Structure formats: C-alpha cells, structure tokens
Amino acid sequence: MEHQINKYYKTLELDKILNMLAGLTSNEESRRMALALTPETDLERVRYENLKTDQALSLSVQFGTPPFTAFKDICTTSARARSGAILSLRDLMDITVMLRQIRDLSRWYDSCENVETELSYLFSQLTPNNWLLEKLERSIISETEISDAASPELSAIRRKIHRAEMQLRETLDKMIKSKTTQQYLQESNVTIRDGRFVLPVKAEHRGQISGLIHDTSATGQTIFIEPMAIVEANNDIRLLESKEQEEIERIIRELCSDCGDFSEALAQNYRAVTELNLYFAKSNLAAKLNCSMPEITDDGVISLKKARHPLLDRKKAVPIDIELGGSYQSLIITGPNTGGKTVALKTTGLLVAMTMCGLLIPVSDGSRISVFDHILVDIGDSQSIEQDLSTFSAHTNKVIEIINTADEHSLVLLDELGSGTDPVEGAALAVAVIRRLMSSGARLMVTTHYQELKVFAIDDPDTENASCEFNIETLRPTYRLIVGSPGRSNAFAISESLGMPQDVIAAAKASVNEANTRLEEVIGKLEESRSELEKQRDEIRQLKQLEKEHEAAINRERQEIERSKADELERARQQAMSIIETTKAQSNELLDELERLRKEKDKKDFSQNVSGMKSRTKQSFNKMYDTANPVSNSAQDDDYVLPRKLRRGDTVYVVDLQRKGIVSGDPDGSDFVYVQMGVMKTKMNISRLRLEEAEKVSYTGKPKQGNRAARRAGAVGVKAERRGKMELDIRGCACDDGVYQLDAFIDQAVMSNISTITIIHGKGTGLLRKAVHQRLKNHPSVKTFRLGVYGEGEDGVTIAELK
C-alpha cells in the first residue's frame, strides 16, 4: 500500500510543496530531511510538529530570521580525525564553517530574550567552541595555504626564508648589473629552477660563469646556471623550506587532533543545526505563502476559512470556505467546467497532507483540520495506453482500490465520479459508490455533472450540495465555492457564448427531458435567491460596520470633550491659585514691614491700624479663594444645611468639583475651611461642601481609631501658608504625643512631595521643643531644621527641610 499512498500524495502535488521547502534549506542534510517528509497519522505528533513550526515563525517575526549558511556534513570527517587520520585543509575549513554556524546560531538565540519554545531543546544542544574556531580561523587561509599566525615557529621560519631570499636576490642583482657578467646572460632576469635561484646564461658562454647547471631551454641556446656564490644561500633556503613544511604538517596534525577531541560534540551540534534549519525552512515557507496554524483534531471534521491552493498565484487565487465531516459526511460539488471544482478537491487534500507533515497552511484564523490515516484520491485522466485501459477502466480500478482501503479514518477525494461511460449507468454507479464509501465511515468529497447526484445530496441527510459559482452575465466562473446549493452546468449558455448555432442550442434544449429542465430551473431560482440574500447580507454587514465606527467616533469625541473640560478647569484653577499665592506673598512682605515699623514706633494707634489691616486683608483673601475656581455652582443645593459644624478630619463632598476631600483645619470666622484633595489643598467656602457622615477619616485618609494616640494623630492641624509649605500645631501636647503627631505629619508631607514644613511647638518650658528637635535629628526623611526667625514665630516654631 506504501506505493499507492505515495501516488495519492503526488496526485495532490505534495512533492512540489516539499521541493519548495527543500529550496529554503541551507545544507544537503536538511534538504534530504525536507524531501523525506511524509504525513504523520498520530494526532499528538502532528500537533507538536505544527507547534514547533509556528513557534519558529513567531521567533523569526519577532527577532528576525536566524542565520544559516551552506555547511557540509562534518560527522564523518570529525570521526576520522578522532581515529588519528590527517584531514585535508578543505576538511578543516568545512569544520570551521560548521563551528561558525554554531556560534552565530547560538548568539542569535541568546538575543531572543530567553523566550522558551518547543525548539529550546535543540538550541540547548548547541555548544559553541570559540577556542577551536579561533584557532582554525587563525591557522588556515585557504585549501592550500597555512597562515603565518598558525604558530610562532612557522612565522619565524618564514621570516628567515624571506630575509635569505632578499639577500640572495641582492647578490644576483649585483651580478646581473656587473658589465662583465651582463655580456654572458641571455636576459637580465633571475629565474627559479627546482626551487633554486639561477641565471639564464648563453650557451656559448657557459664556461665563463662558475656554477651548477640545473636546466637548459627548449632551443638549447640558454643554460640555467646556479652561480657558486649563491649555492650555499640556496641550500640554506631549501633547508628552511624543509623546516617550514615540517612545521605545517605538525600544525595540521595538531588541528586534526583538536577536531578529533571534539568530534562527538561536533556531530551532536551538526544534527541540532540541521534540524533547526528544517524548522526555520518550514517557517520561511509559511511566511512566503502567508500561512497560519489551524486547530488540529482527529474527529474527521474539516473547516477551512479562506483557504488558498499554495501552488496558485496568491494575488489571483480566490479563497474558498470548505466544510466537511461536521453536520454532513459527504460533499457533492457541481458546476461548470473550469469553475474550480477540481481545485477545491486538491486544495482540501493538499492542506490536510501539509498539516500532517508539520507545515502551516494558507488559511484564515478559525480553520480546523483533522488527521486521517489515509488520504485516497482519484483526480485527473488515468488513461493508460500501455495497459490498454480506457479512461473509465482506469478510474474504475482506482475507485476499487479506494473502496478496499477506505475506513472511518479516511478522506476520499473523487473527481468526476462515474464519468467516461453511459450517463445513466455512470450516475447510478456513482451513487452506489458514494453509499458504499459512506457506509465505511469515510469523509468524502465528489465532483460531478450528474443531476442524479445533486438529487441524492438533497435527499440524503448526511450529504450536502456545493457549487462553484458562475456569473451568468459575464459567462465566467468566479471560483467561489458555495456550500448548501447545487450548481448548474450552464452548458447551453457557455456553448451559445462560444458561437454555437441557435438551432443546435434549441434542438438540444428540446431533447432534455422535462424533469431535468425543471430541476435546472429550480436550481437557477435558488441561485438568484442566494445571490440576492448575499447582497443583502453584505449591505447589512456594511451598515453595522458604519454604525460601530460612528458609535466609536462619538465615544472618542465625548471622551475628548471630557478630557478637555477637565484640563481647562484644572488649568484655570492652577492659574487662579498661583495669582492668589503670589498676592499673598506680597501682602505678607508688606505686613512684615509694618510689624517692623510698629516695633520701632510702638504706638498704640499704629498697632490697631495694623491689626485692622490684617483683618481686612484676610477677608479679601477669603473672597479671592472663593472666586478662584472657575467652576459653575449650578449644581449646588441652596437649601442644604450642614448637620453640624465641620471639624478637622471630616470627609466632605465638593459639589461643584464632584470630588471628595478631607477637612484639614477648623473653619475660620468667615466660613472658609481648608480641604485636602489628593496632594492639593484648597481653601473654600463651606457652602460648597456636603458632610459625608459615614466616611469620617483622619487627615491621613485612614479610618479613625478608638485609641487616644490615634485621636491625637487625627487632630493634627494642617494648613497651607505658602505653596510648598505645611504647618503642624502641637502646642499644649505632651512630649510623646507631640512626637507621635510629628512622625505622622512628616510621613504625609513626604507622600505629598512637600519640601518644607513648619512645627509650632510654642516657647513654654522648652521640653516639647527639645523633644521635637531630638526627633528631627534622628528622622531619616529630615534633611535640616532650624528655629524660626522674626516673622516666622521665632523660638516658638521650628522649620524643617525634608529630603
């Protein structure tokens, strides 16, 4: 059966796909592995192989395709080196290429940010040998030359040879330039014979130059003589050359020994690299064909979404949707010739076979492929002249083989079943074959022109009709596969468009029996209804898409308006607060100046004027704070009355800002109070606030505790005197309570990014001040601290700068 199985895959053109895959490999072993791929029938094995291919594609997309070069099989070579054989420089260069490939591939994987995949076990087998690679690269220049850097001894020998040759040439040049010698020479050039330097002497003057004769010219007119003056120098060079060759042989033996020591590792690395090359060749093929990984099962269900035949031009091929094995067991495809029926069969069979080979397939997401034990195919003309078989006989022999092989784990693809014989008998035989294959449990796809098979598909619940769409207006196929609707052959329309005489067309129509005519009319009406429904469906889909886009645009616009509104309000509020703070700083400077004048004059009426000025200034500031926020007060409830007087630590709701805050100080006489909202503290009128009775928290934002220390901490007075400063008033507190409140206060200031704080501890006995200073000195968040100066409270306050 193996020969027949291979024949079926060749009919599906799987061999062409494997040849495309082999063309993407970089070495002979990976190419051989690609061409030797066969569909796997084990579900878990198929899933595992597809997963590795998919992960190779993901790695290539994310980190670029890994570097693969044309390396050769070095397993045998390295094994020979291990046994003591001397390798050629060509063999050593092949090992160098392999070592370089291992290094580059390992570096590439190291750059992949430790991504774990099913290919990691192969990458883990790579063991770069930089020492051996560097030694080989340093030693070998080409297949015939060893580098001077191969060893210090070789480099020294070659330097000596070079110096000796230079000295010898200088001696010969002097002889050539000598007028006495020049007249005896055939030409003024130094020549080498048998590796020794000689002079070309005229034959008639051979006795004029003393030396050793090494050769004569073809004409006998020139004799090549080694002058006695350079014989010793030539002998030295030949001796050095002999030492050079011995050192080269020693270097090669050493390199072969080193390669032999790592032969097992080299063989393991070679196998890992060839296998990796195959998987990344699969991923490159997937990228080239725009493939993806389907869901893989073994339940016999095939669901292909926008499937394309991988050998057709991607720009011209029309994607098709194919369903088989779910709600129906067999699919009968009808339609005109050249409409795409056979392509649909081949696409289904080829994509199933590719998946079983561990290859991704050109389908869209949501596709599903089942693994089968057999893919049985009868497609194309099987007429055999040698065996004296007609087309019908050849097809029948194939169908008999398929019937004898098919079972519940088989996919059967039959093209033009029952053709090539009498239509009535052929149709009856086709129906009988389909029934027999269905009884064996096989999944079945059949193409046909027979009306009887269309009727069979309508009557049988396990069989579904499908048609290749044909545009009757242009008289050209669209190549779309329409499942659920039988197709018309349109033979009359096509023949008429090609120029068939009208009387012939009329006679043919008259000879068609009434039942067939009615069936064709019904199919035609179904086609018209289907086309109209598809147009309506497309229009509804477009309207829904427009509706979603419009809704998304409205939501984006609304969000943008909300963001712009919030940004404008915050910008206006910040500008107003900046103006107030600037004005307040200027006023404080003026009041400080007045205080200094009062101390100088110390007049009663002058002091009263200053106090009155401060009161008026305070009232003015309250009004400015109230009007600083350009927020509409329309949302406020004029009838609301606070249930009680606000206290420090109360949670309040700011109506116009629609935010919650915490009261961080007692209200002053003008109904103004400081409210902390996040890191921002604002002074506002109590008419804008609503008391949140159920959510009382301290200024730190934590629920109040019942113990005395927590109540003391919740009573910390916090108010903003200037931007970037906060004050803590602990006058009258015991030392331990004061220090406890100070710690909580510093923590809040650090969280709010406050750089400078003021601690009001009063003068008194000085014990509380001493405790505060001791704590500030040891606190990790305090940078420096000092007593207040005139205008800040002098010895009654301490100013601390935080880190």
Side-chain angles (χ1 to χ4, degrees), residues 540-556:
I540 292 172
R541 187 184 296 113
Q542 292 176 2
L543 289 174
K544 286 184 176 180
Q545 183 63 28
L546 288 174
E547 181 184 359
K548 288 182 180 179
E549 293 176 356
H550 183 62
E551 183 180 357
I554 291 175
N555 288 334
R556 287 195 299 268

Side-chain angles (χ1 to χ4, degrees), residues 21 47-68 105 108-109 112 115-123 272-288 291-293 358-360:
L21 175 64
R47 285 176 173 172
Y48 185 54
E49 290 300 308
N50 274 267
L51 178 60
K52 287 193 284 188
T53 303
D54 187 57
Q55 290 178 342
L57 178 60
S58 298
L59 287 173
S60 296
V61 170
Q62 189 173 359
F63 303 104
T65 304
F68 284 101
L105 200 56
W108 178 86
Y109 186 66
C112 291
V115 176
E116 286 295 326
T117 67
E118 296 300 332
L119 297 173
S120 296
Y121 78 97
L122 289 174
F123 282 106
V273 173
T274 53
E275 196 168 346
L276 283 169
N277 187 212
L278 176 63
Y279 285 115
F280 281 99
K282 289 182 178 181
S283 74
N284 289 340
L285 179 65
K288 181 178 180 180
C291 297
S292 61
M293 179 178 170
L359 300 173
L360 306 188

Side-chain angles (χ1 to χ4, degrees), residues 495-645:
S495 299
E496 188 175 359
S497 69
L498 295 175
M500 183 70 72
Q502 289 290 336
D503 58 330
V504 176
I505 298 294
K509 289 181 178 179
S511 64
V512 177
N513 63 51
E514 185 178 353
N516 286 341
T517 303
R518 286 201 303 270
L519 179 59
E520 286 289 324
E521 290 175 353
V522 170
I523 293 175
K525 291 179 180 179
L526 286 174
E527 282 290 310
E528 293 175 1
S529 299
R530 182 192 56 77
S531 298
E532 184 62 29
L533 288 173
E534 283 194 351
K535 289 180 181 178
Q536 294 178 4
R537 184 184 62 188
D538 291 340
E539 291 176 358
I540 292 172
R541 187 184 296 113
Q542 292 176 2
L543 289 174
K544 286 184 176 180
Q545 183 63 28
L546 288 174
E547 181 184 359
K548 288 182 180 179
E549 293 176 356
H550 183 62
E551 183 180 357
I554 291 175
N555 288 334
R556 287 195 299 268
E557 185 177 357
R558 183 174 65 249
Q559 292 172 0
E560 185 62 31
I561 290 173
E562 291 293 333
R563 282 195 298 269
S564 298
K565 178 181 176 182
D567 291 343
E568 289 297 329
L569 290 176
E570 183 63 24
R571 192 177 300 111
R573 185 179 299 110
Q574 293 293 340
Q575 291 175 354
M577 295 298 296
S578 177
I579 294 171
I580 293 173
E581 293 295 339
T582 303
T583 305
K584 185 174 181 181
Q586 295 172 351
S587 299
N588 283 337
E589 291 178 1
L590 178 60
L591 292 176
D592 290 342
E593 181 66 25
L594 291 175
E595 285 288 343
R596 284 193 293 273
L597 292 174
R598 183 185 64 78
K599 280 185 175 281
E600 293 176 1
K601 294 185 178 181
D602 199 21
K603 293 181 179 180
K604 183 177 180 181
D605 55 346
F606 188 81
S607 178
Q608 290 175 350
N609 290 337
V610 172
S611 298
M613 184 181 295
K614 285 187 175 181
S615 178
R616 290 191 299 273
T617 302
K618 187 175 182 181
Q619 292 177 2
S620 176
F621 280 141
N622 288 339
K623 184 176 180 180
M624 292 174 71
Y625 273 118
D626 191 34
T627 58
N629 290 296
V631 181
S632 173
N633 293 325
S634 59
Q636 298 184 16
D637 184 3
D638 295 336
D639 297 333
Y640 179 80
V641 178
L642 288 169
R644 60 172 174 78
K645 186 177 180 180

Side-chain angles (χ1 to χ4, degrees), residues 81-92:
R82 182 178 57 183
S83 65
I86 302 300
L87 305 181
S88 67
L89 292 182
R90 177 69 265 171
D91 292 337
L92 291 174

Side-chain angles (χ1 to χ4, degrees), residues 705-763:
Q705 305 296 323
N707 59 67
R708 177 175 177 270
R711 287 198 299 271
R712 295 289 298 177
V716 174
V718 182
K719 62 178 182 177
E721 283 299 328
R722 290 182 175 84
R723 180 176 299 275
K725 293 186 177 181
M726 295 182 68
E727 291 184 354
L728 170 66
D729 189 350
I730 54 174
R731 287 176 293 185
C733 293
C735 291
D736 56 346
D737 284 346
V739 171
Y740 181 87
Q741 293 185 51
L742 175 61
D743 285 341
F745 179 73
I746 292 175
D747 291 342
Q748 183 202 12
V750 170
M751 292 176 63
S752 302
N753 292 322
I754 301 299
S755 60
T756 305
I757 59 173
T758 300
I759 302 99
I760 304 173
H761 44 66
K763 298 180 179 178

